[in-house]
Amino acid sequence: MVDSLKKPSFEELRPGVKVPAKDTILTPRFYTTDFEAMEKMDISANEDELRAILEEFRTDYNRHHFVRDAQFEKSWDHIDGEKRKLFVEFLERSCTAEFSGFLLYKELGRRLKDKSPVLAECFNLMSRDEARHAGFLNKALSDFSLSLDLGFLTKSKKYTYFQPKFIFYATYLSEKIGYWRYITIFRHLESHPENQVYPIFHFFENWCQDENRHGDFFDAIMKAQPSILNDWKAKLWCRFFLLSVFATMYLNDTQRADFYAVLGLNAREYDKEVIEKTNETAGRVFPVILDVKQPAFYDRLEVCVKNNEKLTAIAQSNSPKVLQLLQKLPLYVANGWQFVQLYLMKPIDMTPLEGTVK
Ligand SMILES: [Fe+2]
Ligand SMILES: [Fe+2]
């Protein structure tokens, strides 16, 4: 019999259905946008590339990939205690992020169907991929006797509105960072099979190719709208989105360093590698990227990590809420200050390289 103390308890909506993690600034978001503006978008400047990407989506390379095989057919009760909690958190976060992509792409596919059929089909086929990814992760949660009620999540979670160009910056980055996250874990485990503690990571190699293709789609769509890439505002916004995505990942992953340690990874080294690669990739389309090799970049993020640890300790204390807020305030300000300083760091301009093969 498994010692129940070794199985962390999670709040449940119904037996076996986990209450979704509370929304914070660091949790995956759901997005909505200006669908009419999307309908009116002229893609003719890069239509050939977009049609080529559509052909790739139609080929559906991963049609038979997401099948739970014999590797899963065993008990996972030996992943227990804190390790089990970290696994569940990882699966939930990943499932929510994938499902967020599914919802947005599905809605875009539906709304653009009549006015912009090429884009609509691309979005529909990407939503097919994201549904598979989210479904596969939700099935993995069932190995830990839990699942997410995705219908409930659809209705209960707050949606963040972004105008189309911000959707493009954000989803492009989240697809590309997703690609680098999955492939980096896959390659690491390939060379360290002793850390292969759960079979889902075997699936990451083909899986990340879906994310890479999705990222290429947003690359192509941004290139079809040069106005969102070629002025000073684009430079400022690209810096903002790069920094937000990198900082969010770094703060999340350092908080969960123990999860990465189970896989034999150092969370900080892993994140640095993923940030560097994603930044480099983004330079193929963004007019500007961040100078992430400056030691000050991670020094400042580390200050935020420390502040966040203090914030967590305050939230877990028994002090009255008002007192907690007063204690938290200076830490929020300190994090905001670090973010501004990071934002103001001199970026790397990619525009002089235009015309060369990037
Ligand atoms: Fe995905
Ligand atoms: Fe994706």
Side-chain angles (χ1 to χ4, degrees), residues 251 298-308 334-335 338:
L251 295 181
Y298 290 103
D299 292 347
R300 293 196 179 279
L301 286 176
E302 283 299 329
V303 175
C304 299
V305 170
K306 291 261 155 17
N307 289 339
N308 274 15
N335 275 354
Q338 290 304 329

Side-chain angles (χ1 to χ4, degrees), residues 7-36:
K7 278 205 185 170
S9 61
F10 292 95
E11 251 192 289
E12 291 174 321
L13 279 177
R14 316 185 280 284
V17 178
K18 190 180 174 302
V19 169
K22 256 209 323 236
D23 268 336
T24 72
I25 193 164
L26 297 179
T27 46
R29 284 159 197 278
F30 285 4
Y31 295 99
T32 182
T33 188
D34 180 345
F35 295 102
E36 272 165 38

Side-chain angles (χ1 to χ4, degrees), residues 97-98 105 126 129-131 133-134 175 182 207 210-211 214:
E98 297 280 10
Y105 301 159
M126 289 197 299
D129 296 341
E130 305 301 16
H133 303 166
E175 296 291 358
Y182 286 144
W207 185 328
D210 282 343
E211 313 305 5
H214 299 170

Side-chain angles (χ1 to χ4, degrees), residues 131-166:
R132 277 181 196 150
H133 303 166
F136 203 66
L137 284 155
N138 211 4
K139 267 271 177 239
L141 271 170
S142 72
D143 289 333
F144 300 89
S145 315
L146 287 169
S147 68
L148 285 179
D149 181 339
L150 298 175
F152 174 78
L153 213 58
T154 308
K155 284 183 231 128
S156 64
K157 214 167 145 69
K158 267 196 269 149
Y159 287 71
T160 304
Y161 172 86
F162 271 174
Q163 54 167 288
K165 70 172 177 179
F166 298 146

Side-chain angles (χ1 to χ4, degrees), residues 193-211:
E194 69 281 9
N195 293 118
Q196 186 69 259
V197 284
Y198 182 63
I200 203 163
F201 308 109
H202 284 305
F203 288 76
F204 279 10
E205 190 181 28
N206 291 28
W207 185 328
C208 75
Q209 294 307 332
D210 282 343
E211 313 305 5

Side-chain angles (χ1 to χ4, degrees), residues 7 12 32 67 77 99 103 140 179 210 216 269 285 355:
K7 278 205 185 170
E12 291 174 321
T32 182
V67 178
D77 284 348
F99 188 64
L103 284 178
Y179 164 74
D210 282 343
D216 288 344
E269 295 310 316
V285 58

